[in-house]
Amino acid sequence: MLNTKASETPAFARLLKAGSEMCGMLSLQSYLLKPMQRLTKYPLLLREIHHNTSPDHPDLHDIETAWTETAAMVSRIDQQVQDEEMRKQLLHIAGAAHGRFLLLVPFFFFFF
């Protein structure tokens, strides 16, 4: 999306370039990706903590809960990302069809 906007708007492209130069040549996309990459590591970290925690440790239940909740959260986020990618593909296909069919409900096409 940022690349599309940058190609459509020269001023935005200049802003992205200037920001990249000020931030050690890292792009805005790389900064936006960092939090997502961290989120996916939390369940792995908590799993390792869980496996290395004594069964009689008072925090074991809380560690287990944190592990399962973060894993579920990452799974939901992954599903939302996949859903958005599918939506973009459907819109691209619909645009390429030049109005030959009507997309009324996601995944249901009505031809006419």
Side-chain angles (χ1 to χ4, degrees), residues 47-66:
R47 181 188 67 198
E48 287 303 310
I49 292 171
H50 179 265
H51 289 332
N52 291 298
T53 301
S54 163
D56 58 340
H57 194 281
D59 292 332
L60 183 65
H61 176 72
D62 291 336
I63 293 168
E64 213 168 76
T65 301

Side-chain angles (χ1 to χ4, degrees), residues 10-56:
F12 185 65
R14 287 191 302 275
L15 177 69
L16 287 178
K17 185 174 188 244
S20 174
E21 291 169 357
M22 289 174 30
C23 297
M25 299 310 290
L26 289 174
S27 68
L28 178 58
Q29 292 92 329
S30 64
Y31 283 105
L32 293 173
L33 188 58
K34 278 284 186 204
M36 185 63 179
Q37 290 173 334
R38 284 192 187 117
L39 281 176
T40 60
K41 292 179 182 177
Y42 291 139
L44 303 174
L45 173 64
L46 288 165
R47 181 188 67 198
E48 287 303 310
I49 292 171
H50 179 265
H51 289 332
N52 291 298
T53 301
S54 163
D56 58 340

Side-chain angles (χ1 to χ4, degrees), residues 1-14 16:
M1 186 168 105
L2 291 175
N3 290 336
T4 303
K5 188 67 172 173
S7 67
E8 294 171 352
T9 313
F12 185 65
R14 287 191 302 275
L16 287 178

Side-chain angles (χ1 to χ4, degrees), residues 50-84:
H50 179 265
H51 289 332
N52 291 298
T53 301
S54 163
D56 58 340
H57 194 281
D59 292 332
L60 183 65
H61 176 72
D62 291 336
I63 293 168
E64 213 168 76
T65 301
W67 175 26
T68 58
E69 289 295 320
T70 56
M73 176 189 62
V74 168
S75 179
R76 286 190 304 270
I77 291 170
D78 284 343
Q79 185 60 53
Q80 289 174 345
V81 168
Q82 289 175 6
D83 290 349
E84 180 62 18

